[in-house]
Amino acid sequence: MQNLESGVLNQRMGYYEVPLELSYSVLDRKFGVNLIGGVSTLFLNENSVSVQSESATFSLGQASNLNNVHFSSNLGVGFTYKFWKNLEARFEPTFKYQFNTFSRDAGNFKPYFVGLYTGVSYRF
């Protein structure tokens, strides 16, 4: 008699991203609008595959079809609000389409990301 237990297959991928982007100011007042475009180089830093059940987690190793370095094209719109001349808040929705992520067949999977970047900047 076999003891069967259901589980979940988990794959974790992590990357360091080095972006190169240009921003074109469409509106430069108290409220600003910028068009953002560029490319990024991504370096693989995490690659693991595991099975997790209620009673245990088993490591299966790494995915063998991930490239250690790949690229993305980046396109977004930046919205800024100037509190003062040197202090502003930013909100930037960005679309990133990945190239060369896999070294061989990935079942026609074409990864992309939508990011919402926010922050406050102060210029000296």
Side-chain angles (χ1 to χ4, degrees):
M1 183 164 165
Q2 274 187 325
N3 183 8
L4 298 177
E5 188 174 340
S6 63
V8 177
L9 182 65
N10 291 314
Q11 180 177 7
R12 294 185 57 87
M13 298 177 289
Y15 296 92
Y16 292 116
E17 180 179 9
V18 180
L20 175 62
E21 295 181 336
L22 296 174
S23 178
Y24 177 76
S25 182
V26 176
L27 182 62
D28 190 18
R29 295 199 172 95
K30 186 152 184 98
F31 177 77
V33 178
N34 302 310
L35 298 178
I36 301 165
V39 296
S40 291
T41 303
L42 293 106
F43 300 95
L44 184 67
N45 75 326
E46 184 178 5
N47 178 7
S48 64
V49 179
S50 62
V51 173
Q52 183 177 6
S53 69
E54 287 185 26
S55 61
T57 300
F58 301 99
S59 175
L60 299 177
Q62 297 182 337
S64 61
N65 66 341
L66 292 176
N67 286 324
N68 288 328
V69 178
H70 74 273
F71 307 95
S72 75
S73 62
N74 309 335
L75 185 62
V77 178
F79 301 100
T80 58
Y81 181 79
K82 291 183 183 178
F83 297 106
W84 297 290
K85 182 179 178 182
N86 296 341
L87 181 66
E88 68 182 18
R90 297 179 165 271
F91 178 75
E92 299 175 348
T94 305
F95 177 78
K96 297 184 177 197
Y97 182 77
Q98 310 262 323
F99 298 100
N100 197 31
T101 304
F102 300 101
S103 60
R104 56 182 190 277
D105 187 33
N108 204 24
F109 180 64
K110 302 197 186 313
Y112 63 90
F113 296 94
V114 175
L116 297 174
Y117 302 96
T118 61
V120 176
S121 64
Y122 181 80
R123 296 180 188 181
F124 294 98

